[in-house]
Amino acid sequence: SKQLNNSMLFKDKEIHEIMLGINSEVFKPLNEDNILNIKLKYNLPLDKKIIFFGASSTTDERKGFGYLIKALKLLSKDKLIDNNSVIIVTAGKFISREVFKNITLPHKHIGYLNGNTELAKAYQIATMFVSPSIEDSGPMMINESIMCGTPVVSFKMGVAEDLVFNGTTGYIAELKNVEDLANGIAMIINLNNKKYKKMKENCREIGLQKCSTAVQVNKLISLMDDK
């Protein structure tokens, strides 16, 4: 809406915000047994917390991959977290190990995830999803993660401003602030079990309220009825 308000063409037009709908029956929280089975499928350690992000574009500056790498370096160097309790998990196209050469945290690339069911599994096993995008109307992966009950760490931009709330559904960092992004990741990793469970419940609740396909359809119908 900020971009529309600044647009010469649309700034005087009425604006209705309707988020893209997410299938809440595919993107949903799973129980511990199902989560363990998925981790086994991808040969992931059962006792580590997972920092998950997509690696579909490591060169597109708007996706902010470089900021994330710098934040991960800070995490591993400054002892903001217990390095032995965490693993980085990436999905998408091939990603070079060289990218992680200065990061002491272990890393596992699980490849391209074919279809929403496979993609949902990545969010479902993740402790958090990190979105380092610095210029994006979405990204859609934030909506999907929130719907799965998985907290999100993101820069303050795009849909994150509507879905990511500090200490409630994750952490929203100052745009392009690497230290703030690292602190957000550390905050969620270091939550005790009770607070983390509550954060997951908050994510699912807000996801259902704002991102479900039913909500999207009802808002579109309401908008057409008003016309």
Side-chain angles (χ1 to χ4, degrees):
S1 62
K2 289 180 181 178
Q3 289 174 318
L4 289 174
N5 284 324
N6 292 330
S7 165
M8 293 297 293
L9 187 60
F10 296 107
K11 67 178 181 179
D12 296 322
K13 302 293 184 181
E14 186 177 2
I15 297 171
H16 300 269
E17 291 188 4
I18 302 176
M19 291 189 185
L20 293 174
I22 304 296
N23 187 334
S24 60
E25 293 303 311
V26 174
F27 295 92
K28 62 182 179 181
L30 295 181
N31 61 38
E32 282 300 317
D33 286 343
N34 285 329
I35 289 173
L36 288 175
N37 287 334
I38 297 170
K39 286 183 176 180
L40 288 170
K41 173 186 174 181
Y42 288 117
N43 196 27
L44 293 169
L46 304 182
D47 59 343
K48 291 185 185 290
K49 295 181 179 181
I50 293 175
I51 300 171
F52 170 62
F53 56 93
S56 58
S57 177
T58 60
T59 57
D60 186 345
E61 189 174 331
R62 296 174 304 148
K63 297 299 182 182
F65 192 78
Y67 294 98
L68 177 56
I69 294 300
K70 290 177 183 178
L72 293 173
K73 286 179 183 177
L74 282 179
L75 282 175
S76 58
K77 184 183 72 172
D78 293 354
K79 304 292 177 64
L80 298 177
I81 58 175
D82 177 6
N83 287 6
N84 295 319
S85 68
V86 175
I87 185 170
I88 300 166
V89 174
T90 55
K93 70 178 185 179
F94 172 79
I95 183 168
S96 171
R97 291 184 180 273
E98 281 295 302
V99 174
F100 296 96
K101 66 180 180 180
N102 295 320
I103 297 171
T104 58
L105 298 171
H107 166 244
K108 171 84 172 180
H109 187 65
I110 58 176
Y112 178 74
L113 300 174
N114 188 20
N116 285 341
T117 299
E118 289 301 309
L119 178 58
K121 289 177 182 178
Y123 300 115
Q124 289 157 346
I125 63 173
T127 306
M128 77 187 76
F129 168 68
V130 183
S131 173
S133 292
I134 59 172
E135 186 180 336
D136 202 321
S137 58
M140 187 74 156
M141 293 183 83
I142 290 178
N143 306 48
E144 293 166 344
S145 182
I146 292 290
M147 188 64 86
C148 284
T150 299
V152 172
V153 177
S154 173
F155 285 129
K156 189 175 183 180
M157 51 75 60
V159 75
E161 296 190 64
D162 297 307
L163 295 175
V164 184
F165 307 103
N166 285 354
T168 302
T169 58
Y171 189 90
I172 189 162
E174 180 184 341
L175 191 64
K176 299 184 181 181
N177 187 323
V178 170
E179 291 81 6
D180 203 16
L181 191 69
N183 286 333
I185 296 171
M187 183 270 286
I188 294 178
I189 290 294
N190 293 326
L191 285 175
N192 63 42
N193 288 338
K194 183 178 180 181
K195 290 182 178 179
Y196 179 71
K197 182 179 178 182
K198 178 59 178 174
M199 185 175 283
K200 286 181 67 67
E201 291 170 354
N202 293 339
C203 288
R204 178 63 173 179
E205 183 178 342
I206 286 176
L208 291 171
Q209 289 174 2
K210 294 189 174 186
C211 302
S212 71
T213 49
V215 168
Q216 179 193 35
V217 169
N218 288 337
K219 285 188 175 182
L220 288 170
I221 291 172
S222 177
L223 180 60
M224 288 187 287
D225 286 345
D226 288 344
K227 301 300 183 184

